Amino acid sequence: MITLADQTGLICGYLIRPSGAELIGWDDIPRALQTENGIAWLHFNLADMRARHWIESCERIPRRARETLLASDQHIRLEPIGTGIAGVVGDFHHHLHDESGQVGQLRLFVDEHCMISARRLPLKAVDLLRHSISEGATCRQPIDLVIELEHHLGDALAEVI
């Protein structure tokens, strides 16, 4: 695995436990992915080659899930892969001054201990999820992150409508 001094490419990383979330960086990723008493959430910017390279070389993520995370297709789907799920969900582009309602894609892989998500352009619901975790929202299982993300997607959709 790659460890880098700067955080470019890693939009955010958290180790989430019932007591709260710990913000993590590149150097903390191996420890976070090995923990069994918490959830690792890593959110990457696919426009950054270092993030793409990390995903490509992360053997913890099944090969088909890595392909899904790095692909450019826009087909919205979730499918079982190994002991987890991988796929693409729609999310609204997040522009500071213009909420146009354009849809982008959030790519993700979720298993029993982590959620790896990635996007090319800023997205609204996943940013709301990041803020929720930063402000103290906790999850017991990675699927809880997906459920919380879906709630934020619903809120974002309601705003656009």
Side-chain angles (χ1 to χ4, degrees):
M1 290 211 207
I2 296 174
T3 57
L4 299 171
D6 71 62
Q7 301 306 307
T8 305
L10 178 63
I11 297 166
C12 64
Y14 294 97
L15 181 54
I16 306 164
R17 295 189 172 109
S19 59
E22 169 191 349
L23 192 60
I24 62 171
W26 283 104
D27 293 339
D28 305 310
I29 290 175
R31 172 183 59 88
L33 288 176
Q34 291 174 3
T35 190
E36 296 208 6
N37 63 345
I39 303 164
W41 175 30
L42 306 173
H43 182 51
F44 293 99
N45 179 355
L46 290 173
D48 186 275
M49 287 308 295
R50 289 173 280 192
R52 295 181 64 77
H53 182 71
W54 185 88
I55 293 168
E56 285 173 3
S57 64
C58 181
E59 293 179 10
R60 185 185 186 299
I61 305 170
R63 181 188 52 77
R64 278 187 37 232
R66 283 182 272 165
E67 291 169 358
T68 298
L69 287 167
L70 295 169
S72 60
D73 71 309
Q74 298 179 10
H75 180 72
I76 304 233
R77 67 195 179 282
L78 287 174
E79 59 186 327
I81 295 180
T83 60
I85 58 171
V88 180
V89 296
D91 191 355
F92 292 101
H93 287 195
H94 187 38
H95 304 287
L96 293 177
H97 303 292
D98 175 28
E99 297 299 331
S100 64
Q102 292 179 313
V103 176
Q105 292 79 38
L106 177 69
R107 300 174 177 285
L108 54 87
F109 169 69
V110 181
D111 69 11
E112 64 272 6
H113 296 291
C114 75
M115 181 166 95
I116 311 292
S117 57
R119 53 76 166 162
R120 284 186 174 73
L121 297 169
L123 299 172
K124 188 168 187 105
V126 75
D127 192 53
L128 292 170
L129 177 61
R130 182 178 61 83
H131 286 292
S132 292
I133 297 301
S134 292
E135 293 169 1
T138 60
C139 301
R140 295 192 182 280
Q141 304 173 64
I143 197 68
D144 295 337
L145 280 169
V146 177
I147 292 168
E148 184 76 14
L149 175 66
E150 290 298 320
H151 286 291
H152 291 303
L153 282 168
D155 291 344
L157 179 60
E159 284 181 27
V160 170
I161 291 174

